[in-house]
Amino acid sequence: MGTENVPTNLHIDNFIMQSTTLILILLVLMAVAFQLGCRRAYNLPGLGCICDLHSLPVYHGFYTAIWCGVPALLLLGVWSSVQTPIVINLLMDDLPVMMTAGLSQAELSLVLNDIRNLAYGNITSGEVSRELMAVADHYNQLQQTGLAVQSVMVILLALITTALGWRFISPELRARNKVESVLRWLLLISSTIAILCTLGIIFAVLFESVRFFEMVPLTDFLFGLQWSPQIAIRADQVGSSGAFGAIPLFAGTLLISFIAMLVAVPVGLMAAIYLSEYASQRLRTYAKPLLEILAGIPTVVYGFFAALIVAPMIRDSAAQFGVDASSESALAAGLVMGIMLIPFISSLSDDVINAVPQALRDASYALGATRSETIRQVVIPAALPGIVGGVLLAASRAIGETMIVVMAAGLSANLTANPLDSVTTVTVQIVTLLVGDQEFDSPKTLAAFALGLLLFLVTLVLNVIALRVVRKYREVYE
Amino acid sequence: MIVERTAPAEEMFQVIHANFGSTVGDLTVAEPRMTARNVNVHYADKHAIIDVSLDIGCHEVIALIGPSGCGKSTFLRCLNRMNDTIESCRVSGEIRLDGQDIYDKNLDVVPLRARVGMVFQKPNPFPKSIYDNVAYGPRIHGLAESQTALDEMVEDSLRRAGLWDEVKDRLQQPGTGLSGGQQQRLCIARTIAVSPEVILMDEPCSALDPIATAKIEELIDELRQNFTIAIVTHSMQQAARVSQRTGYFHLGRLIEVGKTDEIFTNPQHKLTEDYITGRFG
Amino acid sequence: MADRPITTLDKVNASLARRYAKERRFRRAGLMAIATGLLFVLLLFTSIISNGYSAFWQTHVKLDITFNAEQLGIGDARDFETLSSADYAALIRTSLKKIFPEVRDRKERRKLYKMISTGAPLLLREILISDPTLVGSHHAIWLPADDDIDMLVKGQIDRTQPEDARRLNNQVIGWVDRLTENGVVEQQFNTTFFTAGDSREPELAGIGGAITGSLYALLVTLLLAFPIGVATAIYLEEFAPKNRWTDLIEININNLAAVPSIVFGLLGLALFINIVGLPRSAPLVGGLVLTLMTLPTIIIASRAALKSVPPSIREAAMGIGASKMQTVFHHVLPQALPGMLTGTIIGMAQALGETAPLLMIGMVAFVVDIPGGPLDPSTALPVQIFLWADSPERAFVERTSAAIMVLLAFLISMNLLAVLLRKKFERRW
């Protein structure tokens, strides 16, 4: 894991550098275009007064700037994404026949990979022949030319469209409406990024997962009792394919999440009840933000706390009772995760408890109920849907929580319900499988994506149910 | 104009009732269940009730009327210490239930509220079944020794609230599913299930339609046999229909109190007269 | 008395004691819950501070160093190349030999030399390169001690333990004691910790590189997430028609806020690294992933800020003939901006503390150099904490805790800033 292992991708660096410079140049050009547009609007021939214009000169400026920037930026984007495929196509046509003759598609792509690695100055898989060297040089040359042509074309386009936009300016031009509709489009596009992000997650994870399930059957994955992806070392070894039964991971995840909820739900709920129903104003102003500090602490800090303080503490106190506890016990990870979730549960419960109408409490008090009777028999039942929603959200967090378990839980996939044993979780395995070397054709790496897909789906279902429950609950009392 | 005409009347009654503020009319009764003397209520820096004294007799319905924000609801909430739940609220003066000071330091509010029940402006059934709503009070107070005793209590309370026939087949359905008038009768049933001595009603019909209102009014008249009832209402017709005595509140003061028919036919105080004849309110 | 019928009141009074006991128990449980929560806060902070505060000081040893050209092996040359490759360790060895002439055994001598950090020669090199005329002169220079010595001086090594159970034997402890008596051992402020990159040697390791990496990533996040988040919020709140599509976007955003962070890491790996081909371990990719993660927070906060601007303002602007766009950008946005900024700062604080997705995109490398730009390989502050937390050395435990203190200091000041901002611009309509 040294610096030397991180490939410095010269080619992509060039691309990014050049794009950044081009964008900066375009910004300057847009500023100039803005000025030109404004001036032209002011000095239109035959214009008596500014009020003869449909729109203010500023909007004519924006109008020209948009003409200058938008088409050029679009060209830049398209060009950047198609240049490499085109260059590779050209290269394949030019490849010496002896290099490509009789090669399968897979071997061809291997050769191509070598060429690219060579071009970036990385180590290649095989011997470097003179021909290969020449091809690599050719590749570099093509890319360089492509970049040069790109910058010329982009700037040229910007200049042409600016001139066009400038020509369009007239007193009748509805510049404001046009600028505003462009702006509106920009806002709309921004709002779709959230959707694209979800789609991106689904496709990215799904795509690799499908490849995984081509190698390992879905049923083996979902119902297998054995998880040992690391075994796959040599092809002729027994069990060389590894074992990808995810049941031990689910069991471990559930065990740790269950312990966490066992800590977080009673403590968080009681804290919320005390703060909202009993506490004096003073206690509330101090205790609430102090508790919420727990919510702002990064999970890596909790992980460190669990591994350094809590896990040894549990091991030692178990030893006192003559019980053997793993130093990576599920209990330590679960306990600390529970601490992390306390403020989450308590602030969500606080919200829903406060949303219970005072009228219900009054009705109960008027019958002579004590506070705790009112809380337990009226307030909590009334707030129950909201509290359940909050608990579901917290559970989804516990299942997806990564750092605490990576640092405090173990790697061995034990199928056990003993909280003093070491278990592993879905997230721990994703991290272990993906940190370090990745081979996107081995089931070992792809398994991480299958686990990711599963994790995404489970938390998605939990979240959607929880959000719906909470929403329904809010509607009842609003 | 107002000043001219009210001044002599006030002077006159100040002489008669020097001890009890400036209330016109006879605020005492022969057989009082609750007595309030010189009650003052402050919310933070607002003086909401000023020097109110009033007796509430056994088995009578007393109506408290007055314009919005005059303090009639606040006064009502003092009678079973519901104001305790509002942090900024301070109550001074003396309120006695059967001769016992309910603001005494050693007095326990839980049995007090079991004795003085309350029905609220908006029907507020718990989000539980109809049965559980009524059984709630007996359960927390441990009034029923057995399940059958509890069943009887629930049935009896629902019958007395005139709701039994409408809900006897769906006791396990949520109370929030009833109509507004039924909900309010459920709340009354819930209150009488604890067998209180006094029932306070805070505008119990303001959220109901006329038919439901008529039913509740009928019910109040029946309940008078067993309970003492203090009702706050916006509607003067309602006060006239259900109550034996009426008190008129204005800006935190109890202006006038007396037999209901006398108040409505022959008000002594200018403010009462203005309110009753509809000049404001 | 006895023949009086049992009234309701009697029944009520009979159960009162039991009910009040229940009440007290319930109340005590609530108080316990709060106390438990606060106890955890206290425990967390005390354990981290007590473990970490000492890392802000580093034990230094004052040695008499003679910049002897012969020992340096540089002859008469004074150029950069020669000075860079000179043997500075020899100078330290000579100096130590002078203090402990009785140490003759080779093995023992090696232990003696190990007392001074392996980074010390580099320090001497810097001194000489910045002023080559120093050759031949004689100076007393404070040099960092090895981490084991540092731990001993800080009292982290238990002298009462049997010799073979400690990391330092009696002889070395004797040397350190002698140096201490001579007054040449001192704890000085640990600037290396704030300026250096990662290192295998605890006394040379610092969070400078990690902080720089985090800052680059956050810069990318801020530049992307703030405009996109605000634009999305404006569109959804002010322009979007209420239909299925906007409903979908809304559900989506709420759901994204609750997706586990590691899934975003998978997206970053598959999309930005495998498909787009951006370099691994780069803060740019980290920033992109963190952008996607913080977007929901910023959008939700910005929408709340826009909602709190009363419709009367919009009506007033529309009433004098402003277009919808002008109304939003001239009147609504300025009023909502403080709320949006508050949400953005809180989102940035979340992003700063996030670790899991950065592991996925390879920001978990051992990086010695301080990154010079968003494309250089780098770690981030929380990832550095994760990396160090794995190291068994006591000195790294100390530094991990110290790094956590720095991270928490950043987070707390960011949150305070958000609170102050909210207080300052809070407006009641």
Side-chain angles (χ1 to χ4, degrees):
Chain A
M1 259 201 277
T3 355
E4 59 280 356
N5 290 354
V6 180
T8 43
N9 202 330
L10 285 176
H11 169 66
I12 197 82
D13 281 19
N14 281 352
F15 255 107
I16 293 170
M17 289 295 284
Q18 163 134 5
S19 308
T20 319
T21 338
L22 271 179
I23 289 171
L24 286 178
I25 293 175
L26 281 178
L27 282 178
V28 173
L29 284 180
M30 281 167 80
V32 174
F34 175 79
Q35 282 296 328
L36 286 175
C38 280
R39 293 252 177 91
R40 166 135 170 119
Y42 270 116
N43 303 326
L44 273 175
L47 190 72
C49 137
I50 296 210
C51 50
D52 290 345
L53 288 171
H54 170 271
S55 308
L56 287 175
V58 184
Y59 285 103
H60 289 93
F62 281 126
Y63 177 76
T64 327
I66 288 171
W67 265 106
C68 167
V70 173
L73 281 173
L74 283 178
L75 178 70
L76 178 64
V78 173
W79 192 297
S80 298
S81 49
V82 300
Q83 177 173 324
T84 305
I86 289 177
V87 163
I88 286 174
N89 243 337
L90 284 176
L91 205 65
M92 294 309 262
D93 294 343
D94 291 358
L95 270 186
V97 185
M98 50 172 254
M99 281 181 73
T100 54
L103 288 183
S104 71
Q105 197 60 40
E107 285 166 310
L108 210 58
S109 74
L110 210 66
V111 171
L112 198 66
N113 227 10
D114 273 357
I115 295 170
R116 291 173 71 174
N117 275 330
L118 208 56
Y120 305 152
N122 290 343
I123 308 126
T124 54
S125 59
E127 285 281 306
V128 182
S129 66
R130 182 163 300 201
E131 288 88 357
L132 208 61
M133 209 62 192
V135 176
D137 280 344
H138 186 47
Y139 175 80
N140 263 352
Q141 205 185 349
L142 281 176
Q143 289 281 26
Q144 290 296 342
T145 324
L147 282 182
V149 176
Q150 178 197 34
S151 37
V152 172
M153 294 293 284
V154 165
I155 291 173
L156 209 63
L157 181 68
L159 293 177
I160 292 170
T161 50
T162 309
L164 259 175
W166 190 77
R167 295 266 307 169
F168 285 144
I169 292 177
S170 71
E172 298 81 39
L173 178 70
R174 299 161 77 89
R176 182 176 55 71
N177 306 38
K178 296 205 161 144
V179 169
E180 284 183 353
S181 74
V182 170
L183 210 56
R184 218 187 138 118
W185 271 103
L186 272 180
L187 295 180
L188 175 68
I189 291 168
S190 295
S191 72
T192 56
I193 286 182
I195 296 265
L196 291 180
C197 181
T198 307
L199 288 181
I201 288 176
I202 294 171
F203 281 116
V205 182
L206 202 63
F207 180 67
E208 309 287 359
S209 301
V210 166
R211 287 177 57 194
F212 173 74
F213 290 126
E214 279 167 6
M215 301 182 214
V216 178
L218 181 63
T219 46
D220 284 11
F221 177 70
L222 284 182
F223 304 112
L225 296 177
Q226 191 77 35
W227 177 267
S228 47
Q230 311 291 1
I231 290 176
I233 305 167
R234 279 200 330 265
D236 55 337
Q237 227 172 6
V238 181
S240 62
S241 59
F244 293 96
I247 291 281
L249 309 190
F250 302 152
T253 308
L254 287 182
L255 178 62
I256 289 180
S257 306
F258 181 70
I259 296 171
M261 300 309 280
L262 223 51
V263 175
V265 173
V267 176
L269 192 57
M270 282 310 288
I273 288 171
Y274 192 86
L275 282 178
S276 61
E277 304 279 330
Y278 284 106
S280 64
Q281 190 59 44
R282 250 188 55 194
L283 182 66
R284 245 199 310 266
T285 44
Y286 290 110
K288 230 178 153 180
L290 273 176
L291 272 184
E292 259 152 36
I293 285 182
L294 284 175
I297 292 177
T299 53
V300 69
V301 177
Y302 281 110
F304 179 67
F305 180 67
L308 188 79
I309 313 276
V310 180
M313 212 147 76
I314 287 172
R315 196 191 47 213
D316 294 346
S317 39
Q320 292 259 309
F321 292 103
V323 186
D324 217 18
S326 159
S327 57
E328 294 175 329
S329 61
L331 187 59
L335 198 67
V336 172
M337 200 188 279
I339 297 175
M340 179 191 85
L341 292 174
I342 288 173
F344 193 75
I345 300 251
S346 86
S347 71
L348 280 174
S349 312
D350 199 41
D351 283 355
V352 293
I353 287 173
N354 283 331
V356 173
Q358 185 63 31
L360 286 185
R361 292 186 182 88
D362 281 351
S364 176
Y365 290 139
L367 286 169
T370 62
R371 265 175 196 251
S372 67
E373 282 159 356
T374 306
I375 293 164
R376 274 185 308 193
Q377 300 182 40
V378 176
V379 177
I380 298 290
L384 201 60
I387 292 173
V388 168
V391 169
L392 284 182
L393 277 182
S396 137
R397 275 220 165 172
I399 291 170
E401 171 49 43
T402 310
M403 292 320 293
I404 294 177
V405 281
V406 166
M407 294 168 83
L411 286 175
S412 50
N414 295 327
L415 193 54
T416 172
N418 179 1
L420 295 175
D421 258 355
S422 155
V423 293
T424 192
T425 71
V426 173
T427 48
V428 171
Q429 289 305 316
I430 295 178
V431 170
T432 335
L433 294 174
L434 284 184
V435 168
D437 293 330
Q438 299 159 0
E439 302 153 54
F440 276 85
D441 46 5
S442 93
K444 195 187 127 196
T445 299
L446 294 177
F449 285 88
L451 290 176
L453 176 67
L454 215 65
L455 186 64
F456 179 73
L457 290 180
V458 169
T459 50
L460 181 79
V461 170
L462 277 177
N463 294 340
V464 168
I465 295 175
L467 290 172
R468 185 157 292 188
V469 167
V470 171
R471 203 179 189 184
K472 273 255 170 66
Y473 170 74
R474 293 246 163 84
E475 279 162 7
V476 169
Y477 290 121
E478 258 169 18
Chain B
M1 276 252 299
I2 293 172
V3 178
E4 249 172 76
R5 281 192 55 185
T6 51
E10 269 192 1
E11 257 169 46
M12 192 175 82
F13 283 101
Q14 257 161 11
V15 177
I16 301 171
H17 294 289
N19 295 333
F20 306 137
S22 52
T23 308
V24 179
D26 189 6
L27 50 81
T28 58
V29 293
E31 202 188 330
R33 174 122 272 167
M34 298 192 82
T35 53
R37 290 294 177 268
N38 303 98
V39 175
N40 282 281
V41 178
H42 295 258
Y43 288 118
D45 42 345
K46 194 188 157 214
H47 199 165
I49 298 275
I50 306 160
D51 250 355
V52 170
S53 302
L54 183 66
D55 281 3
I56 299 171
C58 287
H59 301 295
E60 73 163 358
V61 176
I62 181 166
L64 306 177
I65 59 171
S68 308
C70 67
K72 52 195 190 309
S73 288
T74 305
F75 178 71
L76 197 71
R77 290 169 69 93
C78 289
L79 297 178
N80 70 343
R81 292 184 55 177
M82 279 305 286
N83 283 333
D84 289 13
T85 56
I86 300 162
E87 258 174 63
S88 63
C89 179
R90 279 178 296 120
V91 180
S92 62
E94 190 187 85
I95 301 178
R96 288 178 181 276
L97 170 64
D98 295 336
Q100 188 184 20
D101 185 359
I102 66 167
Y103 278 89
D104 184 14
K105 262 200 185 135
N106 297 321
L107 184 118
D108 196 337
V109 291
V110 167
L112 167 71
R113 287 180 187 152
R115 292 168 70 189
V116 184
M118 188 160 189
V119 175
F120 296 85
Q121 185 170 0
K122 260 172 73 183
N124 51 359
F126 300 131
K128 299 166 177 278
S129 69
I130 294 170
Y131 182 93
D132 287 338
N133 259 288
V134 183
Y136 178 74
R139 272 190 185 137
I140 56 169
H141 292 299
L143 299 184
E145 277 88 19
S146 64
Q147 185 59 42
T148 39
L150 189 61
D151 288 348
E152 272 168 29
M153 275 180 154
V154 170
E155 181 177 341
D156 185 47
S157 306
L158 283 170
R159 271 189 201 287
R160 288 209 274 176
L163 196 60
W164 176 252
D165 293 329
E166 290 161 62
V167 300
K168 64 182 174 204
D169 302 324
R170 44 170 175 157
L171 287 175
Q172 293 312 320
Q173 285 174 20
T176 42
L178 298 173
S179 73
Q182 288 173 322
Q183 284 189 13
Q184 194 62 299
R185 276 181 285 151
L186 178 63
C187 292
I188 293 174
R190 186 173 66 187
T191 306
I192 58 185
V194 194
S195 332
E197 294 158 36
V198 183
I199 300 176
L200 311 174
M201 295 188 175
D202 189 356
E203 300 184 30
C205 303
S206 67
L208 304 181
D209 59 64
I211 295 168
T213 303
K215 276 198 172 156
I216 302 263
E217 283 176 7
E218 224 170 87
L219 177 60
I220 291 171
D221 211 41
E222 279 167 30
L223 291 174
R224 185 160 66 92
Q225 313 300 322
N226 300 310
F227 306 99
T228 299
I229 295 173
I231 177 170
V232 162
T233 174
H234 250 100
S235 148
M236 280 172 285
Q237 290 80 354
Q238 186 171 66
R241 283 193 297 264
V242 301
S243 70
Q244 285 75 54
R245 285 168 75 232
T246 297
Y248 172 68
F249 277 79
H250 187 85
L251 292 178
R253 288 175 203 275
L254 178 58
I255 301 297
E256 182 168 352
V257 64
K259 291 237 160 51
T260 299
D261 38 3
E262 283 171 18
I263 290 271
F264 281 96
T265 51
N266 187 20
Q268 301 294 311
H269 199 288
K270 168 74 174 114
L271 285 169
T272 319
E273 188 189 336
D274 284 352
Y275 182 71
I276 286 166
T277 50
R279 248 168 260 181
F280 66 88
Chain C
M1 274 303 243
D3 50 1
R4 199 171 60 106
I6 299 169
T7 63
T8 305
L9 192 59
D10 292 332
K11 286 186 191 166
V12 171
N13 284 334
S15 62
L16 264 187
R18 190 171 44 79
R19 288 170 66 194
Y20 276 124
K22 255 190 183 168
E23 168 79 19
R24 276 193 300 277
R25 275 202 299 279
F26 189 76
R27 210 186 156 112
R28 220 175 296 139
L31 208 54
M32 286 269 288
I34 303 248
T36 315
L38 294 182
L39 183 80
F40 284 137
V41 177
L42 195 72
L43 192 67
L44 200 80
F45 274 82
T46 47
S47 68
I48 282 171
I49 291 174
S50 66
N51 262 315
Y53 76 95
S54 53
F56 295 115
W57 284 270
Q58 159 72 32
T59 306
H60 283 67
V61 180
K62 188 160 76 175
L63 289 183
D64 288 321
I65 299 287
T66 312
F67 289 103
N68 188 327
E70 197 182 322
Q71 273 178 6
L72 284 168
I74 54 172
D76 291 333
R78 296 289 179 272
D79 58 303
F80 181 78
E81 296 276 301
T82 326
L83 288 180
S84 300
S85 54
D87 184 8
Y88 294 93
L91 304 182
I92 296 169
R93 286 200 295 269
T94 317
S95 172
L96 282 172
K97 263 189 268 180
K98 227 180 264 169
I99 304 176
F100 300 100
E102 74 280 7
V103 184
R104 296 247 166 242
D105 182 59
R106 284 190 90 177
K107 249 188 178 163
E108 286 181 6
R109 275 211 175 150
R110 211 172 297 144
K111 272 198 187 124
L112 182 65
Y113 303 150
K114 253 200 73 187
M115 285 168 62
I116 302 297
S117 163
T118 48
L122 299 174
L123 208 75
L124 293 180
R125 186 176 79 175
E126 266 171 47
I127 293 175
L128 201 61
I129 286 177
S130 65
D131 185 5
T133 59
L134 288 176
V135 175
S137 64
H138 180 84
H139 293 276
I141 297 173
W142 286 103
L143 292 173
D146 186 63
D147 61 306
D148 285 338
I149 308 298
D150 187 36
M151 287 299 104
L152 179 73
V153 173
K154 284 173 181 165
Q156 300 286 4
I157 290 182
D158 186 5
R159 289 168 187 247
T160 57
Q161 267 187 332
E163 196 172 0
D164 47 357
R166 338 183 197 103
R167 287 181 66 93
L168 295 176
N169 62 16
N170 288 339
Q171 194 184 26
V172 178
I173 291 181
W175 293 335
V176 174
D177 288 344
R178 228 166 91 194
L179 287 174
T180 315
E181 276 163 34
N182 292 349
V184 294
V185 176
E186 199 177 281
Q187 291 196 39
Q188 297 179 347
F189 186 72
N190 191 355
T191 42
T192 316
F193 180 70
F194 291 98
T195 54
D198 200 1
S199 169
R200 302 274 184 227
E201 299 296 326
E203 73 271 13
L204 301 178
I207 52 173
I211 288 183
T212 320
S214 272
L215 286 184
Y216 280 128
L218 280 195
L219 191 70
V220 173
T221 307
L222 183 65
L223 287 180
L224 290 174
F226 183 63
I228 296 177
V230 169
T232 306
I234 291 177
Y235 180 76
L236 290 179
E237 206 53 48
E238 305 285 338
F239 293 100
K242 279 268 156 275
N243 57 24
R244 248 194 220 163
W245 174 244
T246 44
D247 262 3
L248 185 69
I249 295 182
E250 190 157 351
I251 293 170
N252 217 313
I253 289 168
N254 285 333
N255 184 52
L256 270 186
V259 166
S261 59
I262 193 168
V263 174
F264 284 95
L266 289 175
L267 169 70
L269 175 62
L271 180 68
F272 298 127
I273 295 183
N274 281 357
I275 297 179
V276 180
L278 293 175
R280 273 171 69 83
S281 309
L284 174 69
V285 184
L288 288 173
V289 172
L290 293 177
T291 301
L292 298 182
M293 281 194 57
T294 42
L295 260 183
T297 312
I298 296 179
I299 294 172
I300 292 168
S302 301
R303 290 189 68 177
L306 286 170
K307 263 195 198 121
S308 73
V309 178
S312 58
I313 298 261
R314 295 180 182 84
E315 281 156 12
M318 306 275 246
I320 53 169
S323 71
K324 180 84 194 170
M325 199 62 82
Q326 285 168 327
T327 306
V328 171
F329 279 86
H330 295 171
H331 301 284
V332 180
L333 194 59
Q335 302 293 348
L337 211 53
M340 293 174 165
L341 282 177
T342 312
T344 308
I345 293 173
I346 289 169
M348 288 293 124
Q350 277 173 11
L352 177 60
E354 200 53 67
T355 322
L358 302 184
L359 301 184
M360 299 290 95
I361 55 156
M363 280 185 86
V364 62
F366 174 69
V367 181
V368 178
D369 301 320
I370 291 177
L375 288 173
D376 289 351
S378 143
T379 58
L381 191 49
V383 182
Q384 190 68 69
I385 291 168
F386 168 66
L387 284 171
W388 283 351
D390 246 4
S391 308
E393 285 109 322
R394 184 64 187 75
F396 266 126
V397 171
E398 183 186 280
R399 274 162 180 76
T400 314
S401 305
I404 288 176
M405 282 159 75
V406 173
L407 177 62
L408 289 181
F410 270 115
L411 292 179
I412 289 171
S413 31
M414 283 167 94
N415 279 302
L416 273 183
L417 184 68
V419 169
L420 288 180
L421 204 67
R422 189 181 295 155
K423 280 251 165 72
K424 182 148 195 279
F425 289 97
E426 200 169 48
R427 189 181 294 199
R428 299 241 169 261
W429 295 96

